[in-house]
Amino acid sequence: MNRKIRQLALGLMTCYVILFVALNYWHVGRKEELDARFDNTRSVVREFNRPRGPIVSADGIVAARSLPAPAEVRADFEREYPTGDLLSHATGYFTFAFGSTQVEKSHGDVLTGQTTEQQIRSIGDILNADVDNSGSVQLTLRHDLQQVAKFLMGANEGSVVVMEPDTGAVRAMWTSPSYDPNTFVNEEFETAQDNLVALQQDPDNPILAKSYQDRFMPGSTFKVITTGIALENGTITTETAYPDETEYVPPQTSDPINNYNNTVCGGDLAEVFARSCNIPFAKMGIEMGPDAFIAGTKDWGIDQNIPFDLPRGARSTIGDVSNLDDELPLLAIRAFGQSEVQMVPMHMAMVASTVANNGIMMRPYAIGATYDHDGGLLARTRPEEWKEPLSAESASILRDLMVGVVEVGTASCCLNLEGGVQAAAKTGTAELGLEDDPDLVHAWIIAFAPADDPQYAVSVVVNNIRSTSELAATGGRVAGPIAEGILDYLLTGEGADVVVGESPGPLPDIEPLPDPDTPDDGAGN
């Protein structure tokens, strides 16, 4: 009898081990593979049957929310984006058939209440399978400021980024063109697929947040970086002066470099910076040499990942530097922002912020805080220093130089703020050098204000416009009015009184729609 019991026990243990191994094989070892199968929709349906909290702007406008789904929909809830294209580059989208992006993806666990902290806080409801434990994500982006940036950019292609210099909080991040997630998130599969594919195949790529996911030739706005590097390594001082000239032939070539529109340009540092002469900055690059130039750009975070809290950001770059000792003409051209130099619009806002913030470059962030279902704080982003490319003394010099650009230089036409507020700026007109379209440029401006107590820094780029001798579409004339409108709105306009960063408060429970086949019992059920 004891022998049979032992055999039975051994058999049961063997079966248990086999079952244990099999369950682990399928549920752990091959979980990712099974989840990725196109015909496995269980996890997606489970996700859509789970209450999902809102994404809210800094000024309290709901940018993404869940609503009860109609009876014909397989899931209990569907996602809606009330602000349309205005905040979609931050929120991303959450779809049944095409996955999720941006905050919808990176903070999906908060929105559905799946973080460890949220689970602990709801421990009292552990036996209630229907409890709504969803959380919310609050952006640093302001809905009102996104509207202003969109209006000012108009039909132009381009990007606007607005930051707080001393914190790194991104208050606006508008890219034109943008896209509206509502055109596909809740549509029938074929319609949704057609609409999404059309967006993906659009040559203007409206799904891409070009404000931080793309880079463009910066033109003369890059002279802020070159000047900062040269001040820090002693190549120049405020007393440095350059002769009046129309062309300069750098070493290793017979091809001259000219100023914009072949003008005569020269003078002390303040004058050549305000007038944005090309030749003095080309000479700065040659005088400091490739090693110092490359090291200086690294101090500014170029050719490094920007530590932004939204996914898939682009890197700024000065191009291939492997043989720059033997390509000094390219060094000269890159020193004033042409050739292979490419800057991310957000990075240029960070450059302006660095000058405004006494030489300290803060880490940019778009996620202000996360909250649980009751409005309790889960996490708040704390400002962090990323780089310190300038001493406070060099930052002060650059601030004065940028004020000069507004007072007597290339931004004097367009950055005269209301109420006598003094701004500081640098303009840029990046000539793309296309043989089939030689007049095509990117028009830039970076700025901050008030100059003596900076509250906001802004970067504006208007892409692919034509600049001719008859109509000079420069950074000051094209991008400048956009920056002016934004700073006026923030400092002396309606935007000055907008309250940001308050908790959205407790979330209402999201109740699925009643089953249409369930009879009404007369009690409202």
Side-chain angles (χ1 to χ4, degrees), residues 46 49-53 76-77 111-114 118-135 373-374 507-512:
R46 185 169 60 248
N49 285 339
R50 184 178 291 148
R52 191 179 185 90
D76 290 340
F77 306 104
L111 296 170
T112 55
Q114 300 302 300
Q118 286 165 288
Q119 295 291 309
I120 292 173
R121 292 187 186 187
S122 64
I123 197 71
D125 297 311
I126 194 169
L127 298 180
N128 185 355
D130 296 326
V131 65
D132 183 349
N133 195 35
S134 58
H373 193 75
D374 296 325
L507 302 180
D509 289 340
I510 309 169
E511 300 291 344

Side-chain angles (χ1 to χ4, degrees), residues 437 439-441 464-468 471-473:
D437 200 349
D439 295 328
L440 208 63
V441 302
N464 302 319
I465 58 173
R466 285 177 176 80
S467 180
T468 65
L471 182 62

Side-chain angles (χ1 to χ4, degrees), residues 300-334:
W300 285 87
I302 298 173
D303 285 306
Q304 300 165 56
N305 292 327
I306 298 172
F308 191 41
D309 53 5
L310 294 184
R312 298 176 50 236
R315 281 186 176 193
S316 299
T317 183
I318 57 169
D320 182 8
V321 296
S322 59
N323 199 33
L324 213 50
D325 284 314
D326 297 322
E327 297 174 335
L328 293 180
L330 293 182
L331 171 61
I333 295 171
R334 291 180 200 187

Side-chain angles (χ1 to χ4, degrees), residues 222-492:
F222 193 81
K223 291 171 182 174
V224 173
I225 295 174
T226 299
T227 303
I229 296 170
L231 286 169
E232 286 295 294
N233 64 31
T235 299
I236 61 170
T237 69
T238 55
E239 304 300 318
T240 301
Y242 298 89
D244 289 325
E245 49 193 340
T246 58
E247 65 177 34
Y248 159 64
V249 180
Q252 302 172 352
T253 186
S254 58
D255 191 13
I257 288 173
N258 304 100
N259 298 310
Y260 181 71
N261 272 350
N262 297 314
T263 56
V264 177
C265 207
D268 61 15
L269 181 61
E271 182 173 359
V272 300
F273 193 94
R275 295 181 59 192
S276 202
C277 310
N278 289 339
I279 291 173
F281 295 91
K283 289 183 174 181
M284 278 185 213
I286 294 296
E287 186 175 350
M288 73 176 74
D291 291 343
F293 179 73
I294 294 168
T297 60
K298 292 186 183 301
D299 291 340
W300 285 87
I302 298 173
D303 285 306
Q304 300 165 56
N305 292 327
I306 298 172
F308 191 41
D309 53 5
L310 294 184
R312 298 176 50 236
R315 281 186 176 193
S316 299
T317 183
I318 57 169
D320 182 8
V321 296
S322 59
N323 199 33
L324 213 50
D325 284 314
D326 297 322
E327 297 174 335
L328 293 180
L330 293 182
L331 171 61
I333 295 171
R334 291 180 200 187
F336 58 88
Q338 296 281 152
S339 183
E340 295 181 20
V341 179
Q342 302 278 320
M343 294 296 294
V344 178
M346 178 170 289
H347 203 162
M348 290 309 300
M350 295 164 65
V351 169
S353 293
T354 301
V355 179
N357 195 37
N358 298 313
I360 297 173
M361 181 179 284
M362 303 299 289
R363 180 181 69 82
Y365 61 97
I367 309 298
T370 57
Y371 298 91
D372 66 18
H373 193 75
D374 296 325
L377 181 67
L378 291 170
R380 185 180 301 280
T381 303
R382 297 185 180 279
E384 293 180 16
E385 178 182 331
W386 184 42
K387 300 280 185 181
E388 193 171 352
L390 292 173
S391 65
E393 180 182 3
S394 294
S396 177
I397 293 170
L398 265 171
R399 184 180 309 195
D400 291 342
L401 293 174
M402 292 175 70
V403 168
V405 172
V406 175
E407 291 181 333
V408 297
T410 55
S412 59
C413 63
C414 59
L415 207 59
N416 302 302
L417 302 185
E418 296 289 339
V421 176
Q422 179 64 60
K426 184 69 190 81
T427 63
T429 309
E431 300 173 276
L432 305 188
L434 303 178
E435 291 185 6
D436 57 343
D437 200 349
D439 295 328
L440 208 63
V441 302
H442 297 325
W444 284 84
I445 192 168
I446 60 174
F448 59 86
D452 60 351
D453 182 23
Q455 303 298 309
Y456 299 99
V458 59
S459 165
V460 178
V461 57
V462 182
N463 300 121
N464 302 319
I465 58 173
R466 285 177 176 80
S467 180
T468 65
S469 55
E470 294 79 20
L471 182 62
T474 61
R477 293 176 180 174
V478 176
I482 299 175
E484 181 183 56
I486 286 170
L487 290 172
D488 275 339
Y489 176 79
L490 284 169
L491 297 172
T492 56

Side-chain angles (χ1 to χ4, degrees), residues 16-34:
Y16 174 80
V17 170
I18 293 172
L19 180 62
F20 178 81
V21 171
L23 286 173
N24 275 273
Y25 174 73
W26 289 106
H27 288 272
V28 180
R30 298 190 64 185
K31 180 181 185 299
E32 292 186 5
E33 177 187 344
L34 291 172

Side-chain angles (χ1 to χ4, degrees), residues 14-289:
T14 302
C15 290
Y16 174 80
V17 170
I18 293 172
L19 180 62
F20 178 81
V21 171
L23 286 173
N24 275 273
Y25 174 73
W26 289 106
H27 288 272
V28 180
R30 298 190 64 185
K31 180 181 185 299
E32 292 186 5
E33 177 187 344
L34 291 172
D35 287 345
R37 284 179 62 94
F38 75 94
D39 55 348
N40 179 16
T41 61
R42 289 187 178 183
S43 62
V44 180
V45 171
R46 185 169 60 248
E47 189 78 3
F48 267 78
N49 285 339
R50 184 178 291 148
R52 191 179 185 90
I55 302 172
V56 185
S57 70
D59 49 340
I61 304 300
V62 175
R65 65 185 177 189
S66 287
L67 298 173
E72 63 271 16
V73 177
R74 294 177 59 186
D76 290 340
F77 306 104
E78 60 184 17
R79 204 67 168 157
E80 181 188 62
Y81 298 88
T83 56
D85 67 352
L86 207 60
L87 289 158
S88 57
H89 283 142
T91 64
Y93 54 81
F94 178 67
T95 66
F96 187 84
F98 307 107
S100 57
T101 61
Q102 303 300 86
V103 173
E104 290 279 33
K105 183 174 183 178
S106 65
H107 286 69
D109 56 346
V110 172
L111 296 170
T112 55
Q114 300 302 300
T115 67
T116 302
E117 179 70 17
Q118 286 165 288
Q119 295 291 309
I120 292 173
R121 292 187 186 187
S122 64
I123 197 71
D125 297 311
I126 194 169
L127 298 180
N128 185 355
D130 296 326
V131 65
D132 183 349
N133 195 35
S134 58
S136 62
V137 174
Q138 187 166 58
L139 305 173
T140 60
L141 305 180
R142 289 172 50 170
H143 175 266
D144 67 315
L145 196 54
Q146 290 287 105
Q147 288 179 308
V148 171
K150 178 180 180 178
F151 172 79
L152 292 171
M153 183 62 72
N156 291 309
E157 176 188 346
S159 295
V160 175
V161 178
V162 182
M163 296 178 62
E164 293 178 354
D166 60 340
T167 67
V170 179
R171 293 305 183 189
M173 190 182 75
W174 171 250
T175 293
S176 175
S178 184
Y179 75 101
D180 184 352
N182 296 305
T183 61
F184 57 87
V185 291
N186 297 319
E187 297 294 331
E188 294 290 336
F189 177 81
E190 290 186 1
T191 302
Q193 185 179 48
D194 290 344
N195 292 347
L196 184 56
V197 168
L199 287 169
Q200 292 170 336
Q201 293 181 346
D202 187 324
D204 290 330
N205 201 1
I207 289 183
L208 190 70
K210 299 182 184 71
S211 56
Y212 85 97
Q213 291 182 322
D214 206 351
R215 57 196 182 199
F216 308 94
M217 189 184 297
S220 292
T221 56
F222 193 81
K223 291 171 182 174
V224 173
I225 295 174
T226 299
T227 303
I229 296 170
L231 286 169
E232 286 295 294
N233 64 31
T235 299
I236 61 170
T237 69
T238 55
E239 304 300 318
T240 301
Y242 298 89
D244 289 325
E245 49 193 340
T246 58
E247 65 177 34
Y248 159 64
V249 180
Q252 302 172 352
T253 186
S254 58
D255 191 13
I257 288 173
N258 304 100
N259 298 310
Y260 181 71
N261 272 350
N262 297 314
T263 56
V264 177
C265 207
D268 61 15
L269 181 61
E271 182 173 359
V272 300
F273 193 94
R275 295 181 59 192
S276 202
C277 310
N278 289 339
I279 291 173
F281 295 91
K283 289 183 174 181
M284 278 185 213
I286 294 296
E287 186 175 350
M288 73 176 74

